[in-house]
Amino acid sequence: METTTIAPGGAPKPQTDAERQLVQLLEGGQVRTEFARELLQGMGETREAAQAVMASVESEPDKRVSFAEAVKLLDGKLDLEAARTDAVKSHGRWGLVDALVKAGAIKDASEYGALFDKATVSEADLKRVSEMAERGEKVLPIFDSGEMTPDELFAVLFTEGGVPHYTDSYGFKNLAKLRRIDPKDIHDLANLAGKSYDEQVAAFKAAYKEADPMEPTGARVLFTSDKREVTRTGTSATQDMQAFAKGEMSFLDPNADFLRYRAQMGAGLRKIAGRRGNFDGMTDEDYRAFLDKAFAYKTIDEYMPDREKITRYPNYAYENGGVPFLCFNVNYRWVVVHYYDPAYAADFLGSRLSLG
């Protein structure tokens, strides 16, 4: 009687060359899980073989590497170490480092950069970053210390950071109650997009009740396309969650996106300063004064992210079933955090793809 080889995780190992090659493609992020199932059927594999391959892949954890290894893997494509140095300086200017010192997360500013030594990054996502760089696409590394919840981070980066923002929205007032929802907790997610607005809101409300309150994540390094406007638009949060549940894509969360937003603002301020002075040589006090003038004189307006389109976070929800978003209102000239119903889709509303 033929025996089945068992992988360390308890799943059957793929036996044929075709099965092994498919596993390699899946692990490298080159083939989606759902598509792999279709490939296996098309190859004429037996049901047992298909189950063995998929069980092997689905039981394997995402292969992740240390920050130091990620630096080496991206060598020649993206200078990750230099990006960390720039991020540490910027985070100091924004008041984030001081806030962590006051909170007792670190003893002093010298410990901040070392937090990211503990971060790990997906090998598959590093490959995608390399491919984007090879195509000439600009990639933005995001360094999140992971020591704050979204309401705490927004307070530092925007409220205390001197960035004008709207304070009378449900979204802003309830940032502390925001939760990350699991697609498994969204009832009948596969068919939800075809249902009514009320049914979709109810499904997200129910998923919210199953979610835990937000907690710090620990240090993270993520990547996204360095574009000031989202590119995946015209879909609803429900549709994006369907894609997320299938493993087809992932999205920036609020904390990572708040940092992305300030980084892109900083790039705009650098361009403005380039006309009149040394941006890198500014003290923190000079930087804050420069930021205030940029808003007062409206020179920052053309460089503000999300001024034409709105960035939404489809796998986060408020207690009312709404999905949070961030944008810059060009008429009132302030940053807005609010929500849309999960069924709402428009060309000016989208989700920002994440790698890492």
Side-chain angles (χ1 to χ4, degrees):
M1 179 177 179
E2 185 177 352
T3 59
T4 303
T5 304
I6 303 297
K13 282 185 177 180
Q15 299 297 312
T16 68
D17 288 340
E19 292 170 19
R20 284 189 285 271
Q21 289 173 5
L22 186 53
V23 170
Q24 291 175 352
L25 289 172
L26 280 157
E27 290 178 340
Q30 297 163 278
V31 177
R32 296 195 306 270
T33 301
E34 294 300 318
F35 184 52
R37 290 194 176 93
E38 297 176 9
L39 282 178
L40 283 169
Q41 293 174 357
M43 290 162 56
E45 301 285 355
T46 65
R47 178 176 297 176
E48 290 77 13
Q51 290 175 340
V53 175
M54 297 316 300
S56 175
V57 172
E58 291 171 351
S59 67
E60 286 291 325
D62 180 28
K63 290 187 176 179
R64 304 185 72 81
V65 299
S66 68
F67 178 78
E69 291 173 307
V71 170
K72 293 179 181 178
L73 289 171
L74 290 178
D75 184 39
K77 305 293 193 313
L78 177 68
D79 192 338
L80 196 57
E81 193 62 77
R84 171 166 65 170
T85 299
D86 290 342
V88 169
K89 183 171 183 179
S90 294
H91 294 186
R93 281 180 162 177
W94 303 340
L96 180 55
V97 177
D98 283 345
L100 293 184
V101 172
K102 291 177 183 177
I106 53 177
K107 291 181 180 179
D108 55 50
S110 66
E111 294 186 351
Y112 184 72
L115 290 176
F116 302 102
D117 288 332
K118 301 175 183 178
T120 63
V121 186
S122 164
E123 275 191 337
D125 288 338
L126 287 173
K127 290 180 181 178
R128 296 189 187 102
V129 171
S130 295
E131 291 167 358
M132 289 174 66
E134 289 173 355
R135 292 195 298 267
E137 297 181 40
K138 196 174 179 182
V139 179
L140 177 65
I142 299 171
F143 293 82
D144 176 19
S145 67
E147 296 289 343
M148 293 183 174
T149 52
D151 60 308
E152 294 169 337
L153 186 60
F154 189 93
V156 172
L157 296 182
F158 294 88
T159 305
E160 298 165 17
V163 179
H165 57 284
Y166 185 50
T167 60
D168 199 31
S169 69
Y170 176 94
F172 175 78
K173 292 179 178 179
N174 288 274
L175 259 180
K177 297 180 180 180
L178 190 65
R179 295 183 183 179
R180 178 185 174 96
I181 57 175
D182 191 323
K184 295 178 182 177
D185 293 329
I186 302 177
H187 179 66
D188 196 22
L189 177 59
N191 302 302
L192 187 60
K195 297 183 179 181
S196 70
Y197 266 56
D198 290 342
E199 288 175 296
Q200 293 186 50
V201 170
F204 273 66
K205 272 187 180 180
Y208 177 91
K209 292 179 180 178
E210 296 297 321
D212 294 325
M214 296 293 294
E215 295 287 346
T217 62
R220 306 180 300 162
V221 180
L222 303 98
F223 306 88
T224 191
S225 176
D226 194 3
K227 296 179 180 178
R228 290 201 297 268
E229 306 290 345
V230 294
T231 56
R232 178 178 170 81
T233 59
T235 58
S236 67
T238 298
Q239 291 171 318
D240 282 356
M241 281 298 270
Q242 290 172 332
F244 177 72
K246 294 175 183 177
E248 295 176 348
M249 60 191 67
S250 60
F251 307 100
L252 275 195
D253 56 75
N255 272 19
D257 202 48
F258 295 162
L259 290 162
R260 181 273 307 181
Y261 199 99
R262 283 304 308 262
Q264 291 181 330
M265 274 185 57
L269 289 169
R270 180 185 294 277
K271 289 182 179 179
I272 297 170
R275 304 168 189 164
R276 293 188 297 274
N278 180 12
F279 184 76
D280 292 318
M282 289 182 187
T283 64
D284 292 346
E285 293 74 16
D286 288 342
Y287 168 81
R288 179 57 184 268
F290 182 68
L291 174 65
D292 291 343
K293 289 180 180 178
F295 276 104
Y297 300 155
K298 302 182 181 182
T299 53
I300 187 65
D301 287 17
E302 66 177 295
Y303 301 110
M304 289 296 287
D306 300 84
R307 56 175 287 138
E308 297 175 5
K309 298 179 182 178
I310 294 171
T311 295
R312 171 190 58 206
Y313 314 110
N315 49 338
Y316 285 77
Y318 289 108
E319 191 173 10
N320 67 355
V323 177
F325 74 73
L326 178 76
C327 72
F328 178 69
N329 185 302
V330 294
N331 295 317
Y332 291 97
R333 304 184 62 253
W334 55 29
V335 174
V336 179
V337 176
H338 206 11
Y339 74 89
Y340 275 112
D341 291 338
Y344 189 77
D347 289 339
F348 62 81
L349 175 66
S351 302
R352 180 170 287 272
L353 298 180
S354 168
L355 298 173

